[in-house]
Amino acid sequence: STLAWAPDSETLSYISFDETNVPLYTINLYQGTCDPKDEYKLYPGQFSYKYPVAGENNSVVTLHSYDVSTRKTKDIALPDPLIEYIPRIDYTSSAEQLLVTTLNREQNRMEIYSVNPKSTVVKSFYVEESNAWISPTTYENIIVTPKSIILNSARTGYHHLYEYSLTGALLRQITSGDYEVKQCYGVDKSGNVFYQSTESGPLNRVVSKIDLKGKVTNLS
């Protein structure tokens, strides 16, 4: 997500995209047959849009917060000048903690920042690096619980679930083994984590739950 309301609904945090220096990409428009557009029957039209071909300028992304009470917007500066992507932002259970996930241009270094949108104080929360690239599974499927976050990391060569406290400390590795966790669905009040994996074979998908003691129950 590129915008998020604080739990108390007093602050809206959001990402801004400046496409000023992104080159235009143009495609031709024809009459077509499925949904004919007669205005292009004799002469094709054109559609142009901002598109960063590999190696060209990306949008410049910046982070901001809007205070509902004061109606003021604050700019939040992130410390790493190599950040080119902010794929998602998520509030924790606190209105004073926004988790901001960032990537460099090569997408082989992911850093999550803990941000106070009211004071604009920024602290590093979690860093993951890869010799190749960070899989989108890692940053697209972050689960935020009332007291922790769950990450799906491929740091061992297999995607597995890890739980971190809201201060960034590793609490536990939830799953392990020679298989892939494809998706995490969430956690219930008892601490059971629900996920989809290839535990029964790479061509198969099984939905399971794992409790706080590590006992796995297959649900499908």
Side-chain angles (χ1 to χ4, degrees):
S1 60
T2 55
L3 59 85
W5 280 102
D8 62 3
S9 299
E10 289 295 323
T11 306
L12 175 65
S13 294
Y14 63 93
I15 301 168
S16 176
F17 299 83
D18 182 354
E19 294 186 317
T20 302
N21 295 320
V22 178
L24 279 173
Y25 191 90
T26 300
I27 58 175
N28 288 330
L29 300 175
Y30 300 97
Q31 181 187 24
T33 56
C34 295
D35 183 19
K37 299 186 183 302
D38 290 337
E39 63 267 36
Y40 306 130
K41 180 178 180 180
L42 299 178
Y43 298 93
Q46 289 187 325
F47 175 70
S48 298
Y49 62 104
K50 296 282 188 173
Y51 178 74
V53 173
E56 295 296 325
N57 292 326
N58 281 319
S59 299
V60 177
V61 291
T62 50
L63 181 65
H64 312 272
S65 66
Y66 174 78
D67 190 296
V68 174
S69 298
T70 64
R71 299 187 179 183
K72 291 184 178 180
T73 299
K74 295 180 180 179
D75 300 331
I76 302 172
L78 299 175
D80 187 351
L82 297 180
I83 292 172
E84 288 212 29
Y85 306 101
I86 304 177
R88 63 179 294 162
I89 56 176
D90 299 278
Y91 271 96
T92 65
S93 54
S94 170
E96 296 183 355
Q97 186 177 31
L98 180 75
L99 297 180
V100 181
T101 305
T102 67
L103 291 164
N104 60 347
R105 178 77 184 233
E106 291 78 10
Q107 298 182 42
N108 58 10
R109 186 180 192 277
M110 179 184 82
E111 184 161 7
I112 299 175
Y113 292 94
S114 177
V115 175
N116 186 326
K118 298 180 180 180
S119 68
T120 70
V121 172
V122 177
K123 296 179 181 179
S124 180
F125 180 88
Y126 173 84
V127 176
E128 181 165 331
E129 295 182 297
S130 170
N131 292 329
W133 67 311
I134 303 293
S135 169
T137 301
T138 300
Y139 51 83
E140 290 179 353
N141 195 28
I142 298 173
I143 303 295
V144 181
T145 81
K147 296 182 179 180
S148 65
I149 70 166
I150 296 174
L151 287 172
N152 192 345
S153 169
R155 68 188 68 174
T156 63
Y158 292 95
H159 273 283
H160 281 293
L161 303 178
Y162 300 80
E163 185 174 21
Y164 285 81
S165 73
L166 295 183
T167 60
L170 177 63
L171 298 176
R172 59 172 174 148
Q173 180 173 345
I174 299 172
T175 61
S176 62
D178 296 342
Y179 62 90
E180 297 276 353
V181 173
K182 306 302 291 185
Q183 187 174 356
C184 181
Y185 299 113
V187 57
D188 64 16
K189 293 181 179 179
S190 299
N192 297 306
V193 178
F194 297 82
Y195 63 94
Q196 178 197 123
S197 77
T198 62
E199 188 173 7
S200 63
L203 298 181
N204 304 324
R205 297 293 182 270
V206 59
V207 175
S208 308
K209 75 172 181 178
I210 184 169
D211 64 17
L212 290 172
K213 295 181 179 180
K215 179 183 177 181
V216 176
T217 302
N218 292 335
L219 304 176
S220 72

